[in-house]
Amino acid sequence: MPEFNLTNLEQIKNQLFQENLHAKKKFGQNFLVNENTLNKIVETARITKDDTIIEIGPGLGTLTIELCKRAKHVISVEKDKSIIPLLKKNTKQFPNLTIVNGDALNFDPDHYFSKNPINPNFKMVANIPYYITSPLINHYLKDQYLKKQKINVQSLTLLTQKEVAEKISATPSDLNILALNTQIFANPQIIDFVPANHFFPIPKVDSAIIHIAPLKTPIITENLTKVFQLISFAFAQKRKMLSNSLSAGLHLDTFTIKEELQKINIDPNLRPENLEIKNWEKIAKIFL
Ligand code: SAH
């Protein structure tokens, strides 16, 4: 009998079989079965003994165990109720772990910390389904800042689909709404790519480890609601030049838009993916 090790594919299959469970598509369940990748995620998060960690989607607890060994407190939020008994069994030796059954997109860290007096400046670490990456970043970065002018999360270390990680860290010429939602508040960095066969079941796409570090002060701090409104106008017609897409969104004629953009030294023929982030604030000041 090999040592108990959740990155061992046979042991994961056995556990699921014994509990009459299977990896569920609707919860985006692809369990990590590679020790090198597991170590890389944990190293990237730079966890210390004082840290509070919020983990999203612990699954069978593979990453959870490594987090519990290193951090002071770990709060793991898992949506799939049926997997929780097995998760509890696999992690029972860790008194510093709290398992929360719920949707990470509804989890309110402020509410949690108001009831549990532990260090509220947490790090997030998660191997998550790609389709919750964008709402998750909005929930823990953008919405936090819009609500409180403050971001509690110290860093996010995420394992997500490679294309999503690339979108998050795109630069001008290739910017998109997800990149702007992230980069106004934080600095994303792709740490490494992870092949699909590091997961069970093997997904159709490769993944990447991405580290997102919030900035001390966001790139844009004023008029943020207006800024996001403009961004959504512009990207609603992203193949068009700014003068055209903004004209449609703002119900102003193209000529006026062109003139105003030129006054602040922004080329009206640019497409939204080319615009430096800071310039969105300048545009918002004029038009909204
Ligand atoms: N972290 C584990 C499991 C990854 S699979 C590992 O590395 O092996 C993704 C996990 O996220 C599953 O356990 C799934 O049930 C959970 N999940 C999916 N959507 C979620 C949501 N909205 N909130 C919390 N957990 C979610």
Side-chain angles (χ1 to χ4, degrees):
M1 183 73 186
E3 197 192 332
F4 180 67
N5 174 0
L6 280 172
T7 54
N8 181 310
L9 180 57
E10 287 316 308
Q11 293 201 16
I12 285 203
K13 283 185 179 168
N14 254 338
Q15 277 210 334
L16 290 171
F17 179 75
Q18 277 170 13
E19 306 286 328
N20 206 8
L21 290 170
H22 60 277
K24 295 191 192 73
K25 247 206 168 101
K26 77 164 176 174
F27 290 121
Q29 289 178 351
N30 298 97
F31 303 111
L32 185 62
V33 291
N34 183 280
E35 207 159 339
N36 285 340
T37 297
L38 176 63
N39 291 336
K40 244 178 234 168
I41 299 171
V42 175
E43 277 164 30
T44 301
R46 283 185 231 114
I47 300 166
T48 72
K49 275 279 169 218
D50 296 324
D51 280 340
T52 301
I53 306 287
I54 296 184
E55 184 198 12
I56 307 303
L60 298 169
T62 316
L63 178 55
T64 320
I65 291 173
E66 298 308 313
L67 301 174
C68 288
K69 284 184 197 161
R70 291 165 177 81
K72 186 155 191 182
H73 294 285
V74 178
I75 302 138
S76 294
V77 185
E78 172 57 60
K79 191 172 177 185
D80 179 9
K81 201 173 178 180
S82 69
I83 213 170
I84 287 191
L86 189 49
L87 171 64
K88 282 194 171 149
K89 188 167 124 190
N90 287 341
T91 56
K92 66 175 181 294
Q93 72 268 41
F94 297 105
N96 58 342
L97 172 65
T98 307
I99 294 168
V100 177
N101 178 211
D103 187 330
L105 302 176
N106 297 328
F107 182 73
D108 177 0
D110 290 335
H111 179 74
Y112 182 86
F113 293 122
S114 72
K115 299 230 170 321
N116 298 276
I118 55 173
N119 177 8
N121 296 313
F122 63 94
K123 291 178 178 162
M124 174 168 287
V125 187
N127 168 24
I128 44 169
Y130 72 91
Y131 57 82
I132 70 164
T133 313
S134 174
L136 197 75
I137 288 176
N138 287 344
H139 184 67
Y140 289 93
L141 281 179
K142 178 180 165 184
D143 295 350
Q144 290 286 311
Y145 193 82
L146 290 180
K147 209 161 64 187
K148 309 186 297 188
Q149 280 73 57
K150 191 173 173 283
I151 288 169
N152 281 12
V153 64
Q154 291 182 328
S155 64
L156 300 97
T157 304
L158 307 177
L159 181 55
T160 187
Q161 188 184 337
K162 181 177 166 216
E163 280 72 21
V164 179
E166 285 170 339
K167 255 181 103 173
I168 294 170
S169 48
T171 50
S173 86
D174 214 15
L175 284 170
N176 57 79
I177 292 189
L178 176 57
L180 291 169
N181 283 343
T182 312
Q183 292 180 29
I184 287 176
F185 305 104
N187 196 359
Q189 189 191 0
I190 293 182
I191 304 298
D192 210 349
F193 295 119
V194 177
N197 66 6
H198 285 195
F199 302 91
F200 167 77
I202 300 179
K204 289 201 184 70
V205 291
D206 289 333
S207 292
I209 301 172
I210 186 165
H211 185 259
I212 302 175
L215 301 164
K216 279 209 174 77
T217 315
I219 295 182
I220 303 173
T221 52
E222 280 172 43
N223 297 321
L224 267 172
T225 315
K226 291 178 175 180
V227 167
F228 285 115
Q229 197 183 356
L230 264 186
I231 289 172
S232 78
F233 287 154
F235 280 94
Q237 302 187 310
K238 73 188 194 90
R239 310 250 162 261
K240 289 198 176 167
M241 294 184 284
L242 280 175
S243 51
N244 289 326
S245 57
L246 292 180
S247 148
L250 295 167
H251 307 294
L252 285 171
D253 65 276
T254 336
F255 185 75
T256 311
I257 304 256
K258 268 191 183 161
E259 247 186 8
E260 294 296 325
L261 288 177
Q262 273 159 349
K263 274 191 210 159
I264 52 168
N265 290 325
I266 292 175
D267 178 357
N269 299 330
L270 285 178
R271 290 184 171 74
E273 70 259 29
N274 293 312
L275 199 65
E276 296 277 342
I277 294 179
K278 258 224 149 296
N279 283 337
W280 286 109
E281 190 179 25
K282 284 197 197 167
I283 302 180
K285 271 192 186 143
I286 305 181
F287 291 116
L288 294 172

